[in-house]
Amino acid sequence: MLESHLSRVVSINLISALIISLVGCYFLKTINLTGVMHIANLFGLSFLVIFGINILVESGDIKNDRQRFLVAIALILIFDLIFLIVVPFLFGDVLSVTDSFVLAFSGIRINLNFNVYVYLAIYAIIMLIFNLFFYLKDRQKYSNG
């Protein structure tokens, strides 16, 4: 019973997060901001990791320890893969934009090229940091000892 509840909650959270991301993509496309379409991934990830993981911890389906982070990493990877497949299929080639940053430190020029994969990795790290904050906040509340 526990595994069916866990899979049901995870499936519903993944679908809800994908819908949130697709609505964000649609909004960005309607206002002609297709160059930053990857930001919609952050909307869905925040729902999935912050809200979804907290539901699983509060219900006792996963423990508030390293299991929380393993589930978060797995959900982020699954969600990003689905996002990278679905968004180009629905909205066209909008994730192929590359940003360039040039930094100059004491006469040394550093050229940084950011594509959608770099942004998705940055968003994943941000969500894991938020997950760490929630873990630290809830550590005493959900400890099993």
Side-chain angles (χ1 to χ4, degrees):
M1 179 69 181
L2 180 65
E3 282 137 15
S4 69
H5 181 262
L6 178 66
S7 62
R8 183 177 38 214
V9 170
V10 168
S11 300
I12 290 171
N13 282 332
L14 273 170
I15 291 168
S16 300
L18 185 64
I19 290 170
I20 290 169
S21 287
L22 293 177
V23 168
C25 287
Y26 179 74
F27 174 74
L28 290 170
K29 183 143 178 139
T30 58
I31 60 173
N32 275 342
L33 287 177
T34 56
V36 292
M37 191 76 80
H38 52 80
I39 291 176
N41 180 280
L42 187 59
F43 303 148
L45 272 183
S46 61
F47 176 82
L48 181 66
V49 173
I50 294 172
F51 180 71
I53 299 292
N54 279 340
I55 286 177
L56 293 172
V57 169
E58 288 174 5
S59 68
D61 289 333
I62 62 171
K63 296 177 185 167
N64 192 35
D65 57 2
R66 65 178 215 147
Q67 188 179 13
R68 177 184 188 125
F69 295 101
L70 293 175
V71 170
I73 291 169
L75 289 177
I76 288 170
L77 290 174
I78 292 168
F79 181 77
D80 282 347
L81 182 66
I82 293 170
F83 183 83
L84 288 173
I85 292 170
V86 170
V87 169
F89 180 71
L90 293 177
F91 299 103
D93 191 24
V94 294
L95 297 178
S96 64
V97 177
T98 303
D99 294 329
S100 248
F101 296 109
V102 178
L103 302 173
F105 293 111
S106 301
I108 299 172
R109 285 182 60 142
I110 300 172
N111 294 327
L112 301 173
N113 292 323
F114 286 10
N115 59 10
V116 70
Y117 304 111
V118 174
Y119 284 117
L120 294 184
I122 291 170
Y123 298 153
I125 291 169
I126 291 170
M127 288 301 115
L128 288 175
I129 291 170
F130 278 124
N131 201 16
L132 175 66
F133 289 148
F134 283 112
Y135 161 74
L136 293 174
K137 184 186 86 156
D138 295 339
R139 184 171 39 181
Q140 296 295 332
K141 186 176 179 182
Y142 297 115
S143 66
N144 292 333

